[in-house]
């Protein structure tokens, strides 16, 4: 190795020297930030996903389709759709237990921290005749909501889509089947 090459590699090594903490901070900083599309917006979910799933673009790259999340789900609402985990919210609800996150070996379900609201990508909407509109004293949906996103107002309900995680617990609890889950 020539003297010039040695100086070059020494300079490169000095420029790239960092602590172990700095190395991991650099590696994890890309995982914790949502991937942006060309328009500068996070990619819209194409199907309801486990609540701690990373953004769609990153999910496509990280998820290997192993299905361990589906096997770990105690509610059995996760299925593999086109090799990616999707929630079937028609007959069940997500309790946000994070078992799927713990089972995922690729960090594809490691988006949500305890401080952020998990989101399936779906939101609850009033789609039918709420029995409160017939003066029934029902509050099943608001009592079932773990994020206090549903408020019983007069003879109807109001759903705060900013607080709604899309878990469908309100939908399952509704005796009139007046709540539907739709993609945001």
């Amino acid at each position: 190795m020539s003297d010039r090459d040695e100086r070059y590699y020494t300079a490169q090594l000095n420029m790239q020297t960092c602590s172990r903490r700095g190395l991991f901070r650099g590696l994890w900083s890309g995982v914790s930030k949502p991937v942006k599309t060309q328009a500068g917006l996070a990619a819209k979910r194409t199907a309801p996903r486990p609540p701690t799933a990373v953004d769609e673009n990153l999910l496509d790259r990280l998820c290997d389709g192993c299905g361990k999340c589906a096997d770990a789900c105690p509610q059995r609402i996760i299925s593999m759709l086109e090799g990616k985990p999707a929630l079937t919210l028609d007959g069940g609800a997500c309790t946000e237990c994070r078992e799927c996150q713990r089972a995922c070996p690729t960090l594809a379900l490691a988006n949500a921290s305890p401080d952020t609201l998990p989101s399936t990508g779906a939101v609850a909407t009033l789609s039918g005749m709420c029995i409160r509109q017939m003066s029934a004293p029902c509050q099943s949906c608001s009592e079932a909501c773990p994020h206090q996103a549903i408020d019983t107002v007069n003879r109807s309900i109001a759903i705060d889509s900013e607080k709604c995680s899309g878990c469908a617990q309100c939908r399952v609890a509704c005796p009139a089947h007046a709540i539907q889950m739709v993609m945001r």
Side-chain angles (χ1 to χ4, degrees):
M1 181 183 295
S2 73
D3 190 40
R4 180 177 174 219
D5 290 338
E6 189 174 326
R7 281 183 297 188
Y8 172 77
Y9 288 117
T10 303
Q12 288 292 84
L13 183 62
N14 288 338
M15 287 173 42
Q16 294 177 1
T17 301
C18 67
S19 66
R20 191 178 329 173
R21 179 180 291 155
L23 172 67
F24 285 112
R25 186 180 305 128
L27 290 172
W28 287 106
S29 66
V31 173
S32 64
K33 296 176 186 172
V35 175
K36 304 293 180 177
T37 61
Q38 291 178 348
L41 301 171
K44 187 176 180 182
R45 291 195 191 267
T46 57
R49 303 286 185 206
T52 60
V54 296
D55 184 16
E56 288 292 308
N57 293 332
L58 192 54
L59 184 71
D60 286 340
R61 291 187 286 170
L62 289 177
C63 182
D64 62 3
C66 69
K68 290 181 181 178
C69 54
D71 294 338
C73 180
Q75 288 76 36
R76 299 289 179 222
I77 61 168
I78 299 176
S79 60
M80 300 307 287
L81 177 67
E82 297 176 3
K84 306 292 178 260
L87 299 180
T88 306
L89 298 175
D90 293 337
C94 178
T95 59
E96 299 172 356
C97 66
R98 298 181 187 246
E99 288 299 319
C100 56
Q101 182 183 25
R102 286 187 268 284
C104 180
T106 66
L107 299 178
L109 303 181
N111 188 39
S113 70
D115 300 333
T116 58
L117 178 68
S119 176
T120 64
V123 66
T125 60
L126 190 59
S127 65
M129 180 65 84
C130 176
I131 62 174
R132 288 186 59 79
Q133 294 170 331
M134 295 178 275
S135 299
C138 180
Q139 293 185 348
S140 298
C141 59
S142 64
E143 290 171 357
C145 181
H147 302 289
Q148 291 77 42
I150 300 177
D151 189 20
T152 51
V153 180
N154 298 328
R155 292 176 48 182
S156 188
I157 62 171
I159 302 172
D160 184 348
S161 61
E162 294 298 316
K163 291 181 180 178
C164 180
S165 70
C167 66
Q169 292 183 43
C170 58
R171 184 188 173 289
V172 171
C174 179
H177 306 290
I179 297 175
Q180 178 183 359
M181 305 308 293
V182 296
M183 293 304 293
R184 292 182 193 258

